Amino acid sequence: MVKEVNRIEPGGKSRGSTKNATSWITHIFNYRRYITFLTGIYSCHWEFRQWEKTELGSCCCSRIEQVFFLLLVISFSLSVILLFLWIETSNEYFDFDWVAYLGTGRWFYWSIVMLSFGGTLTAYTSLLMVVGFLLLWERIELYMHNCHKILIWLVIILCVFLLVVISKFWHDKWLIAGLSLKIFAPYVHLCSIAVMSLISWPLAFYVSHLEAEIRIRRFKMTCFKMQNHQGRDIFRRLRALQVAIGLPFVVLLICLYLLPLGIYSPCIQKKEDLGPRPVFIAHRGAPMAAPENTMMSFEKAVEFGAYGLETDIYLSYDEVSFLMHDYDLSRTTNIREVMPEATYNHSAFFNWTLLKTLNAGKWFVEQKPYYKMKRLSEADKRRASNQSIPKLTDLLELAKKEKKFLIFDLFRPPPQHPLRDEYVRHVVKEILDSKIEQHLILWLTIFDRDYVKEIAPGFQHVGRFFSIERLEEENISIINVDYKKLFYSGLRCSGRSILLMLAVLHPQIREYKAANININLYVVNEPWLYSLAWCSRINSVTTDNIPLLSQLNYPYFFMTPGYYMWIWLLVDFTSATLITIVFCFHWWKEAKKEKSLEVCSVSSESISVKEKGDNQDRPRLSMEPRERITESPWIINTPAKGSKKPPSIKDREATSTVTEIHKTPITDSSKDTYGTTYTTTSETSRETPTSKK
């Protein structure tokens, strides 16, 4: 009796199982469009084609493609470093724009251009790298387009060039980035653990899939007694891939879990240890609300509650002290319109009769020098547009009236100036003539300091970043320090340990505090930097951004040690639990698939053995079988009219029984359970139904 042959009907159960086995992303996108999108971005192939998938555990691409994918990762890392460095140095954007103005003669937001450029490079490299990883996930061989290869080289060259330039000309920018980690490190730590928890899902899926692949291959080789060198080699590759993916993840995760043991942040302290709020020294007044070094700017600073006023002093050729920061008048006045030929002449070579007629505020309304400055009202615009260069005596009158401290940089006149060697004494005389209280003057100039101490004993002398011994010897109780230099000095004394580098600022400040020396940091514009100064018990800060900083009532990112420890343990425990559940879930899911596959394999083998036994006991109805069909599989045609409908099979596993029939002698006819007889034709592979006798 010939084995019954069932017909495979379309749309059956096997088709549904294939659909369930596809990638989860096909439930959101059409799979062909998804693959075309990936290959279009990475390889510029925008037409769908049947890409050959690489074998699991084998190499994903050629050597050249591996090199360029590594270069892609390097370019991404460099662009991220450049972007992070530039974001963290936002406190210095105005100084960068000012330096660029000196070189180009045109005021523009060059700092924002650099920020956008770094963001564009990071976005491009990150997108290309994500697409590459998705292609590897789909096991499609990588073919990077030549345009991408050229652009990757350009990104690497540009990033290296910019980082070298920054390191050589603005090396303190690296110190700002390191300083920012003192306050952001706890939050970077928590965010990193969250990111690692999210990454654990695809990583656990891939590692468990590799483990299932290893077990399935070993099971098949054991069942079919296939042991060869190639099989053992694929096992080693799969295990190596598991270790290469899983081990760095585990090591990095453990390091993140233990990172708080080495984190020091001044903003993690007890509430009772938090010092008083640093007072504000208005840098050139309030330059984000009014034109710098104008009376409107200083009056705005007083309105915002400034503790002191800071300015820059030059002496005119006719011996009048006036307020100006730049050595020429091109940036903050309309000298180009009044005297184009004298645009870049030194400010000290002009007479006061000309200086007092220049407009010192129109540029502020037109150029908006700070990208974060608020929109001016119409009244403020009209007032700012009519500002002129003020004299020192004007500012002394305001400070005397409002009881504000006054600190200034006094610039020495150039050669051939009549007050080249007497400028300090001339300015001291103007201050004393104004009758301002002497203790309101914070004297910063080192030149001829002994004369100043003798003629004006009430002045408070301000030192630089000197040793405590020198400060005590010169009877100086206030220091004016660039916040970067304070960090840099501690960095030089801290050794090679990164953790010590991040912890040196606070001990340095404690030494000055123990000697009753007040510290003023300049220039502090960002809230996070002001919060760091607050938590570090700094006495005062010089700032351009007094409108914003004056609104802070509590330091940003402040937390108590107990609260941070509770958050740390909670996040670590939650992350570890979640990652363990994710790995167990994927492991169980793959083990379930493996078990079902083993059951199917065992059942198929038992069916094959049973069929062989039945074929041996089956009576032979024909002594001479027809020619065996080798060109096409068995195909069942529709029965003739009047005959019963043949049954359909329930799955595709019956195709293996068809193969077994080829191995046994084929008779002229066979009968199904309905009594319908089918005969075969070797040439056309057609079957003709005959009625039951």
Side-chain angles (χ1 to χ4, degrees):
M1 188 178 207
V2 182
K3 183 69 178 175
E4 301 159 0
V5 180
N6 295 326
R7 183 174 58 187
I8 300 177
E9 294 185 357
K13 186 176 179 180
S14 59
R15 185 175 182 181
S17 62
T18 304
K19 182 178 180 180
N20 293 332
T22 55
S23 176
W24 62 270
I25 203 166
T26 58
H27 296 288
I28 304 175
F29 302 104
N30 180 278
Y31 185 74
R32 289 191 173 187
R33 293 178 182 177
Y34 166 66
I35 296 297
T36 304
F37 173 76
L38 296 181
T39 56
I41 292 179
Y42 198 86
S43 308
C44 293
H45 293 150
W46 293 101
E47 295 183 359
F48 179 77
R49 52 182 292 189
Q50 292 293 339
W51 294 89
E52 181 180 355
K53 292 193 175 184
T54 59
E55 184 181 358
L56 190 63
S58 62
C59 186
C60 60
C61 52
S62 63
R63 293 288 184 183
I64 296 179
E65 295 298 329
Q66 293 179 31
V67 170
F68 274 99
F69 191 79
L70 178 61
L71 292 176
L72 174 60
V73 175
I74 294 175
S75 64
F76 169 75
S77 303
L78 291 175
S79 61
V80 168
I81 293 174
L82 179 64
L83 180 62
F84 170 77
L85 179 65
W86 204 254
I87 289 176
E88 294 304 311
T89 58
S90 58
N91 191 78
E92 308 291 320
Y93 282 178
F94 179 83
D95 291 340
F96 179 81
D97 293 338
W98 179 67
V99 172
Y101 169 81
L102 295 179
T104 62
R106 178 181 176 84
W107 186 267
F108 192 70
Y109 294 143
W110 299 108
S111 57
I112 305 302
V113 172
M114 281 289 298
L115 181 65
S116 303
F117 180 72
T120 302
L121 296 183
T122 304
Y124 167 72
T125 53
S126 59
L127 174 63
L128 199 60
M129 191 170 66
V130 169
V131 171
F133 276 119
L134 291 176
L135 288 173
L136 293 177
W137 182 271
E138 296 293 337
R139 288 164 42 196
I140 295 178
E141 192 168 354
L142 298 180
Y143 293 101
M144 184 183 293
H145 195 268
N146 291 332
C147 293
H148 288 317
K149 294 178 180 178
I150 296 174
L151 289 176
I152 286 174
W153 275 114
L154 290 178
V155 169
I156 293 176
I157 293 173
L158 287 174
C159 289
V160 171
F161 173 76
L162 292 175
L163 291 175
V164 169
V165 170
I166 292 174
S167 300
K168 185 174 182 179
F169 297 100
W170 293 287
H171 60 276
D172 54 359
K173 300 296 183 290
W174 293 101
L175 303 176
I176 300 173
L179 189 61
S180 68
L181 293 178
K182 292 176 64 64
I183 192 169
F184 292 121
Y187 300 90
V188 172
H189 161 246
L190 299 178
C191 293
S192 300
I193 292 180
V195 171
M196 294 293 287
S197 301
L198 294 176
I199 294 176
S200 66
W201 181 271
L203 188 138
F205 171 81
Y206 195 69
V207 171
S208 58
H209 185 62
L210 289 174
E211 181 66 24
E213 184 71 17
I214 293 173
R215 293 182 179 180
I216 292 173
R217 287 174 179 266
R218 183 177 288 113
F219 173 78
K220 290 182 177 180
M221 293 179 67
T222 303
C223 292
F224 296 101
K225 300 179 180 180
M226 296 169 55
Q227 292 291 342
N228 51 41
H229 177 73
Q230 185 178 3
R232 291 191 297 270
D233 185 61
I234 190 64
F235 288 155
R236 286 196 296 269
R237 290 204 302 267
L238 293 175
R239 287 296 185 191
L241 190 57
Q242 278 185 309
V243 173
I245 295 175
L247 184 60
F249 177 82
V250 174
V251 173
L252 181 59
L253 190 63
I254 294 175
C255 292
L256 287 176
Y257 285 162
L258 302 178
L259 186 61
L261 297 176
I263 288 180
Y264 168 79
S265 175
C267 289
I268 300 179
Q269 57 179 292
K270 298 179 181 179
K271 290 184 178 180
E272 54 269 22
D273 295 336
L274 182 64
R277 175 181 178 179
V279 296
F280 300 107
I281 305 296
H283 187 235
R284 309 175 199 170
M288 287 190 177
E292 65 178 58
N293 281 330
T294 61
M295 294 310 300
M296 177 184 176
S297 181
F298 293 113
E299 291 169 0
K300 287 284 187 181
V302 172
E303 293 177 7
F304 286 119
Y307 177 79
L309 305 175
E310 189 275 344
T311 188
D312 310 278
I313 299 177
Y314 278 104
L315 277 74
S316 66
Y317 201 77
D318 51 356
E319 303 181 358
V320 176
S321 302
F322 64 96
L323 310 183
M324 179 63 60
H325 175 266
D326 298 358
Y327 69 90
D328 61 43
L329 307 173
S330 61
R331 182 173 66 91
T332 58
T333 68
N334 61 338
I335 188 66
R336 297 174 186 271
E337 301 174 3
V338 178
M339 296 180 64
E341 68 281 0
T343 299
Y344 299 105
N345 291 353
H346 200 286
S347 303
F349 286 120
F350 292 94
N351 290 325
W352 177 247
T353 53
L354 172 66
L355 293 173
K356 67 180 181 180
T357 62
L358 298 177
N359 186 293
K362 190 176 180 180
W363 71 277
F364 178 81
V365 178
E366 295 176 350
Q367 296 180 0
K368 297 181 176 60
Y370 294 88
Y371 76 97
K372 288 185 178 180
M373 60 181 292
K374 295 182 179 180
R375 184 182 297 273
L376 298 176
S377 63
E378 292 300 325
D380 285 343
K381 286 183 179 180
R382 289 192 296 269
R383 183 183 176 189
S385 299
N386 295 321
Q387 292 297 304
S388 59
I389 300 176
K391 295 189 296 184
L392 174 60
T393 54
D394 298 333
L395 181 58
L396 290 171
E397 289 296 325
L398 178 64
K400 177 182 176 181
K401 176 183 176 182
E402 301 293 340
K403 304 293 182 180
K404 299 298 180 182
F405 288 87
L406 182 61
I407 185 173
F408 49 83
D409 287 315
L410 180 57
F411 295 103
R412 187 178 185 181
Q416 286 110 28
H417 193 279
L419 296 177
R420 168 73 174 176
D421 298 322
E422 302 292 331
Y423 70 103
V424 171
R425 302 189 179 195
H426 180 82
V427 172
V428 170
K429 182 178 183 302
E430 287 188 359
I431 295 174
L432 294 177
D433 291 343
S434 68
K435 305 300 182 182
I436 189 174
E437 299 178 28
Q438 291 189 14
H439 75 279
L440 295 179
I441 302 298
L442 304 178
W443 188 263
L444 188 60
T445 306
I446 299 177
F447 183 78
D448 211 0
R449 176 166 281 184
D450 293 335
Y451 168 81
V452 177
K453 289 181 179 181
E454 179 182 355
I455 199 70
F459 287 3
Q460 297 190 64
H461 290 266
V462 180
R464 300 291 183 178
F465 193 58
F466 302 145
S467 64
I468 296 178
E469 292 77 11
R470 180 178 176 181
L471 295 175
E472 291 177 348
E473 181 181 353
E474 297 182 6
N475 195 23
I476 295 176
S477 60
I478 304 174
I479 59 173
N480 188 46
V481 185
D482 185 350
Y483 70 94
K484 299 183 293 297
K485 289 185 178 180
L486 184 63
F487 176 71
Y488 177 64
S489 177
L491 188 67
R492 293 173 58 187
C493 301
S494 63
R496 298 182 179 180
S497 173
I498 296 178
L499 297 179
L500 290 177
M501 287 179 182
L502 298 178
V504 293
L505 181 61
H506 204 62
Q508 191 77 16
I509 294 173
R510 285 200 299 265
E511 294 178 5
Y512 284 114
K513 289 294 182 182
N516 294 322
I517 296 175
N518 295 329
I519 303 174
N520 178 69
L521 295 182
Y522 68 90
V523 173
V524 176
N525 294 329
E526 293 297 319
W528 70 266
L529 193 55
Y530 179 72
S531 300
L532 181 61
W534 190 344
C535 295
S536 301
R537 304 181 68 88
I538 298 297
N539 302 96
S540 61
V541 296
T542 301
T543 180
D544 296 325
N545 200 9
I546 190 172
L548 176 61
L549 299 186
S550 61
Q551 299 177 4
L552 298 183
N553 298 320
Y554 210 69
Y556 285 0
F557 314 110
F558 178 83
M559 65 178 73
T560 60
Y563 179 75
Y564 178 59
M565 180 175 293
W566 182 80
I567 292 293
W568 166 34
L569 296 178
L570 178 63
V571 170
D572 283 5
F573 176 77
T574 304
S575 172
T577 304
L578 180 62
I579 292 175
T580 303
I581 292 174
V582 167
F583 270 87
C584 291
F585 170 75
H586 284 294
W587 214 269
W588 168 80
K589 188 176 179 181
E590 293 296 334
K592 188 177 180 181
K593 291 181 180 180
E594 176 189 352
K595 186 176 181 180
S596 62
L597 184 60
E598 291 178 2
V599 171
C600 294
S601 300
V602 172
S603 60
S604 299
E605 292 177 6
S606 60
I607 291 174
S608 300
V609 172
K610 184 178 179 181
E611 289 173 353
K612 291 181 180 180
D614 292 344
N615 291 336
Q616 293 176 359
D617 298 336
R618 189 174 298 146
R620 306 174 69 91
L621 301 180
S622 177
M623 299 301 295
E624 296 181 1
R626 295 178 179 269
E627 184 181 355
R628 185 175 299 175
I629 299 175
T630 57
E631 297 181 357
S632 61
W634 289 82
I635 300 177
I636 304 174
N637 291 332
T638 306
K641 186 176 181 180
S643 64
K644 295 182 180 181
K645 180 180 179 181
S648 62
I649 67 171
K650 296 182 178 180
D651 51 34
R652 292 185 177 179
E653 294 180 1
T655 55
S656 62
T657 62
V658 178
T659 307
E660 296 297 331
I661 294 174
H662 287 278
K663 299 179 181 179
T664 60
I666 303 176
T667 60
D668 293 336
S669 62
S670 62
K671 295 184 180 181
D672 63 2
T673 56
Y674 290 88
T676 305
T677 303
Y678 298 89
T679 59
T680 61
T681 305
S682 60
E683 295 180 358
T684 60
S685 297
R686 298 182 59 185
E687 299 157 348
T688 306
T690 59
S691 61
K692 182 179 179 181
K693 293 184 181 179

